[in-house]
Every structure is written in C-alpha cells, then in structure tokens.
Amino acid sequence: MVAKRIIPCLDVKGGRTVKGINFVGLRDVGDPVELGRRYSDEGADELVFLDISATQEERGTFASLVSRIAENISIPFTVGGGISSIDDAARLLDAGADKVSVNSAAIRNPELIDSIASRYGSQFIVIAIDARQVDGRWLATTHGGTRPSDKELFSWAKEAQDRGAGELLFTSMDHDGTRAGYPLETYARLADELSIPVIASGGAGNIGHIAEVLTIGRADAALAASIFHSGEIPIPELKKELLKCKIPVRI
C-alpha cells in the first residue's frame, strides 16, 4: 500500500510565514527558512511554499527565498505563487524547487499546464485549486481567493489532469484556517474522478481530521499549516497516531 504523505505548508507574504482564516486576517508565524528546516528534520514527507501575494502584486515568486529554503531541507519541495509562464517555472526549478504549483495563471491560460508538463513532465506540475461553495457548486477562485472564476472544481480538475498536471492540491476556501475539518465527501469524489494524487488542504484542526481525510476522503496526502506552526501537533506524534489507525505513513 502506498504511504500517505504529511505536508506542512508555508504561506509566505513579504518574506515571512503567515496564517489566517479563509485567507484573511493574516498573522506572522515565523521565518520560512527556519520552519522549513524544522519540518524537514521532524519527518515531513514534503514541503509546500506558497507566495500568497505574488499574483495579487503581479510579480514572480521570490526565487532567492526559495533557494534559501531548498538549501536547508532534504525533502521534496513544491513552490507556487505568481507562476504565469514557463520561464517562471524554470526559474523556480533552477532555484531548488522540485515541483511547481500553478493556480490563477492556469485558470487564465490553461495551456500553461500543457507547456510545463511537456517540457518538464507531469511529475513537476501540481494544479492548485482554491474553491468555495456558491449555490451548492464548488467554484474555483483566483488571486489568493479574492476573485471568483467560472471554473467548476470537478470539471476543472479533470481538465487540468488531462492537460498534464501530475497532482491536485485542493483547498476549500470555506474551511481554510477554521480547524473544523475537511469536506470529506468532496475529496472522496475527487479521488473517484481523478487518476492523479489528491492533496487535501484547508481545515485540519486535530489528528482525527487528518485521519478522516486520508481514509473517508481518500486523499493521498494531507497538507496543513496552523496546527504545525503552533507546535500543537508535532509531525512525529501525528504519524505515530496515524499508524495506530492503520494508515500507512513513513516514519
């Protein structure tokens, strides 16, 4: 059985790691290089870095900060935020990223997925979808969740997969930062409809929530931020508890 992955997320703004609720009310929670090193040492399976203001500020991701984090970790490293061209992707891969995550630019220009996958392979590209429920439908948003789009979650995820995305990172805007749990039925449906791995993001508040999304939600990986940044759920303890639930993880 393939091991489930535990992935801390660094939401970075102005060179600092931040966290809020539903993508607003951001507060400083630490230095991204120090946090990245800590998670790597604690046994995280991967690390995700999201420059959450890059698209809104119409600039590229800070490649220098990406390089500093990459130099201090020994686990796979995904970087997203402000990637709007294949040159942006190349710059971040050169800076030390193992994978790039595209979101807003892919909604605006879906062919970007094809281009990156064609040049680097599907294993290098993660399609990130930040969606919220509107009249019973999950609709994708752009620019850090500040702008609605007409892309429906399930059809857009399938299109992105068909264009060459190697993984899906789905964040529920309605659950992000609330610590109230993940939308399990939504993840289970994504697992049914896609053949690529699904990373669950947005809503983890305790070990039980993560166990549920990896079993009932059938996600391949669980991404979280607040519970790791605060230190209330250390990654080694989380993995031991998941093993007790017979969920396969790497120790």
Side-chain angles (χ1 to χ4, degrees):
M1 186 178 294
V2 177
K4 303 287 188 176
R5 291 171 287 151
I6 302 300
I7 307 175
C9 180
L10 305 177
D11 292 320
V12 176
K13 184 176 184 180
R16 298 287 294 180
T17 308
V18 297
K19 194 58 191 157
I21 297 176
N22 305 131
F23 284 34
V24 297
L26 301 176
R27 67 186 187 282
D28 188 302
V29 294
D31 176 72
V33 178
E34 292 178 3
L35 285 171
R37 184 189 301 117
R38 185 181 106 196
Y39 295 140
S40 180
D41 292 344
E42 286 183 352
D45 296 293
E46 298 185 18
L47 183 70
V48 167
F49 169 109
L50 298 177
D51 189 335
I52 63 173
S53 59
T55 298
Q56 290 171 281
E57 296 171 5
E58 297 183 347
R59 60 166 173 78
T61 303
F62 293 121
S64 59
L65 181 54
V66 170
S67 293
R68 287 171 54 213
I69 295 172
E71 290 168 0
N72 282 274
I73 64 175
S74 58
I75 53 178
F77 185 27
T78 299
V79 177
I83 300 171
S84 59
S85 69
I86 197 163
D87 289 338
D88 290 335
R91 180 169 52 86
L92 294 173
L93 292 170
D94 288 343
D98 297 288
K99 295 180 274 190
V100 294
S101 169
V102 294
N103 187 338
S104 299
I107 288 178
R108 184 174 62 251
N109 174 27
E111 289 78 14
L112 177 62
I113 301 171
D114 304 71
S115 298
I116 297 175
S118 177
R119 177 175 293 187
Y120 296 109
S122 293
Q123 71 272 20
F124 287 105
I125 182 165
V126 178
I127 182 67
I129 303 178
D130 301 332
R132 68 173 76 249
Q133 285 193 296
V134 179
D135 297 328
R137 299 175 68 227
W138 285 99
L139 294 180
T141 63
T142 65
H143 296 76
T146 62
R147 302 183 190 179
S149 81
D150 61 355
K151 296 284 191 183
E152 189 270 336
L153 169 63
F154 301 102
S155 60
W156 173 225
K158 181 65 165 59
E159 179 183 345
Q161 172 184 273
D162 293 345
R163 288 182 176 275
E167 289 185 282
L168 166 66
L169 169 57
F170 164 51
T171 301
S172 165
M173 296 288 298
D174 300 323
H175 296 74
D176 180 74
T178 65
R179 301 191 180 199
Y182 299 89
L184 301 178
E185 291 182 2
T186 305
Y187 283 104
R189 180 176 169 186
L190 286 167
D192 276 340
E193 296 187 6
L194 301 176
S195 59
I196 58 176
V198 175
I199 303 169
S201 167
N206 56 50
I207 292 173
H209 290 152
I210 293 176
E212 286 175 345
V213 83
L214 296 176
T215 53
I216 299 170
R218 307 215 315 279
D220 298 275
L223 178 147
S226 300
I227 60 172
F228 295 142
H229 300 336
S230 66
E232 64 191 83
I233 302 181
I235 291 173
E237 178 184 333
L238 168 61
K239 288 194 168 187
K240 288 178 183 177
E241 291 301 316
L242 293 176
L243 280 176
K244 289 180 182 178
C245 298
K246 301 190 183 306
I247 299 171
V249 292
R250 297 183 186 89
I251 298 293

